[in-house]
Structure formats: structure tokens, C-alpha cells
Amino acid sequence: MGNEADNQAGDSAGTVTSETIELLRRHTSVRQYQDRPVSEAQLAAIVGAAQMASTSSNVQAYSVIAVRDAALKQQLSALSGNQAYIEQCPVFLVWCADLYRLRGAAAAHGDGGETYEDTTEQLLVATIDAALAAQNAAVAAESLGLGIVYIGGVRNNSAELSQLLGLPELVYPVFGMCLGYPAGVNGLRPRLPLKAVLHHERYDAAAQPEQVALYDDAYTAYMHERTGGKQAVAWSATMAQRLAQPVRLHMQDFLRARGFMRR
């Protein structure tokens, strides 16, 4: 049986909520941390919760490296865009897609024939596994009063960062995660309307322009308020700028060099 509080219907208008849903709806990225340690017991509980995430065919194709050492965090920050909160947070987690362990585990049972750990499909499996586990960890951390922010910047200098962390072939850093007690929390950033992402029976392409326009209005108002009127750029304009910039074009060559995506 589930927790009774987690099975409560909402108001008569049909809104449904629970303690878990409300926790998820309060999520914000945390970029300022208290000078307060995260215990080994907390870290074990968080990663233990991450391990219970869904995983394709039970391959569990991910690993996470917890970094507390100040000098190492400084190096990781430098390789990830000089993001100060990597150095400030008490624990920095590097979530990795990991097919190295899978290949080793299977090797003892093979007949010496060809294996397929280097396919694009296996790369997708490992990357998705890492993301699902990390999101479990994020929710677990927030349930303990901690905060997180994901760091895609670990892919800025993937080869150098992999060498620094001793990552073997068939392991790559998917993203980092700062972990600690929040010293400051941003307001809730609005998301796309539900109708933009929830489709019924088939994809509704015709609805997208209207939903994006509605979100542009909400996002512009949010940014105007958050920046005290200094910035009020529509979401679609921000995305246009993003797509116009080449980002991490080295990743294809890097992944192939690490043994991924060769087929």
C-alpha cells in the first residue's frame, strides 16, 4: 500500500496532488550552497535511491563519481566553464554512462565471438540509464532538504575530464550534479504549457505554435520580474539563439574514440 498522503485527490475541479507531486513541483536549480557537509550516510541513501530507477533490461549501465576534494573540484570547475558552484558545493557528482562494467561482466560468459557494446543503441541505453538514476537522486536529495543543479559543462572538455577522473573506455561523463544545502534558491521557473508536451493518441503538431506563444508570454513576464526589468526575452527567441550556436561539436569524435557509437 502506498502512503495515504500520496494518494489524496485534490480539489473538486479535478486537480490531483500528493506530497511527492508537490515536492517535484517545487524543484529549482540551486547555485548557492551553505558551508555544511553532506554526510556519507546521506550520499549513500541518495545514490541507493538512484539505483532503484528504471533501467533497460537491468543493465544498470551507469556509474557516479562523488568528488569532495577541493583541489579536484577546482580542476573540474575549470574544465566545465568555471562554474563557481562546482567548487562551492560540498559534493560534486559526475554521472557517467558506463558500458565498461557490462562488457567485463559479460566477457566471462562469451565464446569469443563478436559483441555489440559499441553500437549507438547501447550508447542510448547507457545515457538514458544515467539520466533516470540521476533524477531519482535529485528527488531523493530534495526530500532530505538538499538542493542540486545539473552541470552539462562536464562535456566541454570531455577527454581531459575523463582522464582526470580515470574513466576507462566505454565510460563517458553525461553531466555533473552539485549537491548540498541551499544558501539561496531561485523562484520557480515556468514550464511549457501541459498541452505543449502532453499529446493524446498521436502527436499534435498543429497545437505547437499556439502553445509556444502562450509560453513566450509567461516566460517573458517571469524574466522581467526576475531581472527587475533588465531582461524580458521570449523563450522562443532564446531557443533561436541557442540553436544558432555550435555547441560541443567534439562529442561525436570523442564518443567514438571512447568506444561508443561505432555502429
Side-chain angles (χ1 to χ4, degrees):
M1 297 293 291
N3 185 303
E4 183 178 351
D6 270 2
N7 293 300
Q8 296 296 314
D11 58 34
S12 58
T15 302
V16 175
T17 191
S18 69
E19 290 182 6
T20 301
I21 290 172
E22 290 306 309
L23 173 65
L24 291 166
R25 291 177 64 87
R26 290 194 300 270
H27 168 75
T28 63
S29 295
V30 174
R31 294 180 174 86
Q32 294 178 307
Y33 296 91
Q34 299 178 34
D35 185 15
R36 181 179 174 186
V38 173
S39 72
E40 284 299 322
Q42 287 173 313
L43 181 60
I46 290 165
V47 176
Q51 287 188 269
M52 297 310 296
S54 297
T55 169
S56 179
S57 302
N58 200 35
V59 297
Q60 303 173 74
Y62 63 89
S63 290
V64 56
I65 299 174
V67 179
R68 297 179 184 273
D69 181 77
L72 183 53
K73 284 192 294 179
Q74 185 177 39
Q75 290 176 283
L76 293 172
S77 175
L79 291 172
S80 303
N82 294 307
Q83 300 183 65
Y85 25 94
I86 295 176
E87 297 182 59
Q88 185 188 23
C89 69
V91 183
F92 185 59
L93 304 178
V94 182
W95 293 88
C96 302
D98 184 353
L99 294 172
Y100 174 83
R101 179 175 56 243
L102 186 67
R103 181 178 65 180
H109 304 279
D111 58 5
E114 188 173 18
T115 58
Y116 295 91
E117 64 275 358
D118 61 355
T119 65
T120 299
E121 169 62 13
Q122 294 290 11
L123 170 65
L124 289 171
V125 165
T127 302
I128 293 166
D129 266 13
L132 293 173
Q135 189 58 21
N136 256 30
V139 176
E142 290 175 352
S143 77
L144 297 174
L146 299 163
I148 68 100
V149 63
Y150 284 99
I151 305 294
V154 299
R155 301 190 301 278
N156 288 0
N157 296 282
S158 304
E160 294 88 340
L161 189 139
S162 296
Q163 183 177 15
L164 184 64
L165 295 179
L167 304 185
E169 186 181 49
L170 289 172
V171 179
Y172 89 93
V174 183
F175 43 70
M177 177 188 285
C178 295
L179 176 66
Y181 286 95
V185 181
N186 294 328
L188 295 177
R189 187 189 299 266
R191 296 300 201 234
L192 283 159
L194 185 63
K195 289 183 179 180
V197 299
L198 177 60
H199 304 254
H200 294 280
E201 316 313 331
R202 59 182 294 151
Y203 192 95
D204 188 0
Q208 293 305 307
E210 179 183 2
Q211 298 305 315
V212 169
L214 288 171
Y215 186 53
D216 274 347
D217 290 342
Y219 188 81
T220 300
Y222 163 79
M223 291 303 299
H224 185 274
E225 180 179 356
R226 177 176 172 176
T227 64
K230 296 178 181 178
Q231 183 178 347
V233 180
W235 176 79
S236 59
T238 302
M239 294 301 104
Q241 293 172 5
R242 180 177 180 84
L243 290 181
Q245 300 296 321
V247 178
R248 303 182 187 120
L249 298 183
H250 65 276
M251 284 302 297
Q252 185 180 79
D253 290 341
F254 166 74
L255 289 169
R256 286 178 172 158
R258 301 293 293 180
F260 293 102
M261 208 172 61
R262 293 176 177 172
R263 285 180 280 184

